[in-house]
Amino acid sequence: MGVSLTKAAQWTSCGSGKLELTPMNESLLKEILCFVEKLGFQHPQEAELVFEAPLQWSTTLVASDFKTDYDIRDLEVQSHEKDSEGHPLLQLSPPTVWVRSFSQLSKLVHFADYKKLEEVRACLQENRDPLLKIFGPCFANFTEREDTHSNVPHLIDEDQVKDSELKLKLFHLVQNMDQQLLKNLLQKISEQVRLDPTTVKNDIELLKRFCSEGEKRVLKSVRYTSDYEFENGCRAPLWRQLHSEICYLVIEPCDTDELYITCSTTGVFINGGIKHEGAESGYERTSEMYKDLVTLLKSQSPYFAENIKKQDFAVQELPSTQRIQHVESVDMEEQGQPQRSYEQHEKNVHDKARQQHTLNKASGEKKYEPCPRWRNHGLMSPSCNAEEKKSSKSSAEERSCEIQKKKPGQGAKSKMKAEFSVCSIPGSLSSHKIKTPAGAMPVELSSESSLESEEEEEQSECRPENNIDLPSEYWQIQKLVKYLKGGDQTATVLTLCAMMDFNLMQETCQLAIRDVGGLEVLINLLDTDEVKCKIGSLKILRKISHNVQIRQTIVDMGGLQSIVKILDSPVKDLRALAAETIANVARFRRARRTVRQYGGIKKLVKLLDCVPNLANLTETKEKDVEVARCGTLALWSCSKSTKNKEAIHKAGGIPLLGRLLKSQHENMLIPVVGTLQECASEESYRIAIQTEGMIKDLVKNLSSDNDELQMHCASAIFKCAEDKQTRDLVRKYKGLHPLVSLLQKVNNKQLLAAATGAIWKCSISVENVAKFQEYKALETLIGLLTDQPEEVLVNVVGALGEFAQIPASKAIIHKSGGIKSLVNLLAGTNQALLVNVTKAVGAYATDKANMLIIDQLDGVRLVWSLLKNPSADVQSSAAWALCPCIENAKDGGEMVRSLVGGLELIVNLLKSTNNEVLASICAAIAKIAKDKENLAVLTDHGVIPLLGKLTNTTDDRLRCYLAEAIGHCCMWGSNRKSFGEAGAVAPLVRYLKSKDSTVHQSTAMALYQLSKDPNNCITMHEKGVVKPLIHIMGSNEEMLQEAAAGCIRNIRLLALANRKARLFY
């Protein structure tokens, strides 16, 4: 509650305001709550100690939440216990509460029940320095010192501080808890590192070697602000390590002022000016985040940027602990990537160090290598590469030299040279699956629609430990890149042709180009006026950009901007190659944003303007179609961004995509439909797809022989079928039968998920369900309830729930044994699946035969247990499912009573803030209350005041079920009178002004029951209930007429009785 709160907690508005809703803050609050709760019984004497000043905050508690030991007067509460000056140790004057001891604080959080964390959060937000109020300024000033325990005793003055020993003990308890909080939070932070202290330390050591005098000097000085190094390698204070900070540097460039730099696990940045150890200010970030020190220094010092490339980075002898090859750090802007724990990273680093030591010992000489990240900036010199070659075994060197001496034959050269005159773009990208360099996970252009925050999982770079394992192609390509750097126009074209002879889809060849600075040369060629050089460069970039690290480097170097400019070129081959390269590069957020910011979306949309279905295409038209195909591929990659979807729409992309959708070629249709299904997550696109007549073409392509095309068409229908008109169009164009046919392809899970999703959404319409029944879809779906991934099960169960709209479906699922499979799924954890399963179980429970099976399989207990699920959607869906279960069970009342704690759980959910949960719970209570014994238990659990509190709602859906619940709960004891005392009658009268007829019916029933209490009749009459009830008496609904008439009759009888009393008494 000291350092952990003031410096480790994450606050909004730059340190002022409220605690952010982050996992770290939640963990901190839970630890503090646990400390407060345990302190009362583990250290009762210390807990009774009175604070120097009360903690004060706005609470959600009210007088009714407090028990005995408190004076309760109307809305105000005071504790019996008081301090020496007569102030109560706890005082509540809503909404403010004052607390003067840990003992009372512990009791308060106990009364708060499920709102404990909210109370702790509110307390800490309004008491930013709680130790100052608890112990006074003398103690609070020592909370941030390392030697707290040794310095506190001299603060104690027996004459001034009462119970000084207890205060000292309590202070130490709080300090111990505070230190433990810091350690726990630090451990959580350490599991999320990207950079690590060893990597940063090696980079700093390399920079220090260029601070010497002479021609090689690029920096004046590099120094740490602190000489103390923790065991984990960090030099930042513990409380700053919680902010992922590793160390602080003061670097003096040759041409600018000193730079004060913070190195953290997420990157490096310039701080506010930390000049020495112990500085308490200047931690704030004053620049953008850079991924390493070299990048930062290049941006801040032109002299450093200009001269660093001239240096020879062959690493001199470093201490043994620093001779470690590091994995390239992932760019800070990429999200959602797999991360390794700090401990695992340390283990791998030391393992590598041991392997390196063994190899050096075996070769009889020391060998040192720089961090690969330095290579990525083009900082490796040719001499360094030469030294790396010399360090290889002689046999490997001879083999490399032999291959280097070989030159491509004249025929190969002429063939490649000719290839640059026309664009040789692959005719089909049907699968779009490309294996990542790490070889672990496929990256797919055909992925399902995703939010902009969802990224491809970038792989950490795995490089060989020694150059001895590198194939000969690696050295050959590096030699060609050197020719590329120094040759004239003809030599450049020939070199590019020679490079194309290699398998550029192989990772070694891709990294060879990058490691020797070839990427920079290829990107520079894009800014020349020579078309052949541009075509050659783009052909190479198109292939090597399948590599995760290379496409990130292309964006870092500004290459994407140059590629976007080429989209305006009059040369069609260039436009097609540029678009296809963008399709490969724009697979992460920063790249997609760059394309949009430099006008790439509008340029790509322009590429789509062609007529793809002419019977006889000329050569020029064929190129136009190919350019459009490549443009669609690029838009597909870019469409994973919400802002890019809007940009495509504004640029007029939808009509052009609709025209291309009529193409007969699958290699065109796949990216077109892929883009449409990606964009269909936006409502504007769904409307446009419907109005532009694309549903017919999507349905037509469902019968294609290409699985991927079928999958994207089904996925697009899945997203668009939320609209009734779209569902009707799918039926009109006979798309339901092809969807059912796709269910036979059980081995293709992506296709199966898309098909079942489309069937689910289409079955929302009863007419479609009838058609599906003709095609025997229900039986097939029941067979898919087992041994399927969750994304398939969610859709299958959703469809089954919609099929229940037809009574015949209930008999079919009963005969097919589908009820058992549904009940088994209730034990899962996937929230979307649980929502659909409970909905389906509730739908089929309306049949008594199915309900009998559900009861026998203990399904009702499983559904009831889902009321404890933290998801509001699951809670509401489970409560809705309970209604038909209770109503159709053989003995619903006894079944409910057999569930221990079930009724208490139902009542507690009336405290929810979600209207859908409240409506479903009220509906369930209405069913439960039909049994008198259960109604008595509900009354004992306090259901009446909770229902009364909800009556002021304006939500008509909640009003309907709330009034129904109130009406049924009136049937026990003095509940009618209790509702009146809870203030529930007057708000119910206002319900009669609603435009919803269902609200009128349930409200009239409730008012009729409440009118049996005289005091309620008086309240109703005062609120003007008679006039609307007379109007309702003219309704066509017989039950509504009777309820309204009965209520008026009771009011009238009371008036007559009152009149007689006045006359005769």
Side-chain angles (χ1 to χ4, degrees), residues 535-554:
I535 290 177
S537 176
L538 282 173
K539 282 190 174 183
I540 294 173
L541 288 171
R542 180 189 64 184
K543 289 189 176 182
I544 65 176
S545 59
H546 288 127
N547 183 290
V548 172
Q549 286 83 25
I550 285 183
R551 57 174 167 258
Q552 291 187 61
T553 307
I554 289 173

Side-chain angles (χ1 to χ4, degrees), residues 203 207 268 290-300 304-305 308 313 373-374 377 379:
D203 287 354
L207 286 175
V268 298
Y290 298 86
K291 60 183 179 181
D292 53 35
L293 286 167
V294 174
T295 306
L296 184 149
L297 291 171
K298 278 185 174 182
S299 68
Q300 300 295 324
F304 179 90
I308 195 67
F313 272 76
R373 260 193 1 272
W374 288 69
H377 292 285
L379 304 181

Side-chain angles (χ1 to χ4, degrees), residues 510-524:
Q510 295 167 347
L511 297 180
I513 295 174
R514 187 195 67 176
D515 290 351
V516 79
L519 271 181
E520 185 175 359
V521 179
L522 291 172
I523 291 171
N524 287 340

